[in-house]
Amino acid sequence: MKTSILKDRPELDLIKRRIEETSGVKPKAPSDFVTLATVISKSDGCFINEHTLMRLWGYVSRYKSIHKSTLDVLSKYLGYPDFGSFLEHEKALAKKESGEIDKFTVNVTELQAGDRLTISWFPDRTTTLLYLGDSQFRIEAVENASWKVGDKFYCLHFTLGEPLYVDNLTTESGECIKSYAVGMISGLTSILGIDRVS
C-alpha cells in the first residue's frame, strides 16, 4: 500500500477543494494556514499543523508528495473514516450527475416575508432563519456554526439530505462571500418551520 501520494494527483485537488468548502477557509498566506489547522484540529482525532497544510497546498514547493496519513486526517475532518472512503464517496457522487429531486424540499415560493425556518446539519449545527422576501434570509440564531446572527444571504430552496448552497452571504460589517455551502457531506439533517410571524 502506498504511504504517500504525488502532489500533482487530481484527487488531492479534490480534497483541498472539499476542505476549503467545509471550513470556509481558502488559504493564501501563512496566517490562513494557521487558521485552517486550528479549525481542522478542533475535530476529534484530526490534529494537523499548518506546515503540513502548506506542503499540501503548494505554499512550500520543495515537497513532491503527501503522506497518506495526512490525507486520512483531512478525510476524517470531512466525515470519512479515511482517504479511501472519501474517494469512494466522491466516485459514487460522480456517477449520478443529474436526476429528479425526490427529497423533502422547501422552496422560497412557498414562503412569505416574516416566515422562519430552523435548519440543522452534521454534527451539531443549527440555524434559525427569517425570510425577508425576494429570496433573501437573515440569520436570527446560531448554534455551533461559523456564520453569525445578522448575516444575510440569498437562497432558492432547502432540501433535506442535500447541501445548502447560498449566494452573497453578507455579514453585518458588509463583508460579502459570493458563494457559501453548509452540510457538504451529509446535507441538511432537519428543516423545521414554517413559523409564521403574526
Side-chain angles (χ1 to χ4, degrees):
M1 180 180 293
K2 292 182 178 179
T3 57
S4 62
I5 296 176
L6 292 176
K7 286 198 323 184
D8 60 358
R9 297 288 302 170
E11 54 264 41
L12 297 194
D13 287 334
L14 177 60
I15 196 169
K16 286 189 290 185
R17 187 163 67 249
R18 295 291 183 253
I19 290 291
E20 290 177 358
E21 292 168 347
T22 301
S23 68
V25 179
K26 294 187 177 182
K28 305 288 185 184
S31 60
D32 297 330
F33 289 102
V34 173
T35 299
L36 182 56
T38 300
V39 170
I40 293 171
S41 296
K42 286 181 179 178
S43 297
D44 290 340
C46 293
F47 176 77
I48 198 164
N49 66 56
E50 63 269 23
H51 302 293
T52 300
L53 296 174
M54 287 179 182
R55 291 196 292 270
L56 176 57
W57 262 258
Y59 192 84
V60 179
S61 59
R62 66 179 179 272
Y63 297 92
K64 295 183 178 181
S65 63
I66 296 295
H67 287 294
K68 183 180 176 296
S69 58
T70 296
L71 301 173
D72 287 341
V73 169
L74 295 176
S75 299
K76 188 171 183 180
Y77 168 71
L78 293 173
Y80 302 96
D82 52 37
F83 185 56
S85 299
F86 165 77
L87 292 179
E88 287 301 317
H89 180 79
E90 290 292 336
K91 288 177 183 176
L93 288 178
K95 289 179 181 178
K96 186 177 181 181
E97 293 293 338
S98 60
E100 181 182 356
I101 297 175
D102 59 358
K103 300 177 181 178
F104 174 72
T105 299
V106 174
N107 292 298
V108 295
T109 55
E110 304 168 19
L111 303 177
Q112 298 175 13
D115 287 348
R116 287 187 174 88
L117 293 176
T118 299
I119 58 173
S120 302
W121 62 98
F122 182 83
D124 56 358
R125 293 18 172 171
T126 301
T127 296
T128 298
L129 305 169
L130 176 68
Y131 183 51
L132 303 177
D134 295 324
S135 304
Q136 188 178 37
F137 295 83
R138 184 177 70 228
I139 296 172
E140 290 211 316
V142 176
E143 291 182 21
N144 305 312
S146 58
W147 50 23
K148 307 295 183 186
V149 171
D151 291 356
K152 298 177 183 178
F153 62 80
Y154 291 87
C155 180
L156 295 178
H157 63 267
F158 303 80
T159 300
L160 195 63
E162 297 292 337
L164 173 65
Y165 298 99
V166 308
D167 294 317
N168 296 325
L169 174 64
T170 305
T171 67
E172 284 194 299
S173 65
E175 179 186 2
C176 182
I177 302 172
K178 291 296 184 182
S179 298
Y180 191 82
V182 300
M184 288 296 299
I185 304 303
S186 302
L188 296 179
T189 55
S190 71
I191 306 170
L192 302 177
I194 304 169
D195 293 331
R196 202 149 271 160
V197 177
S198 57

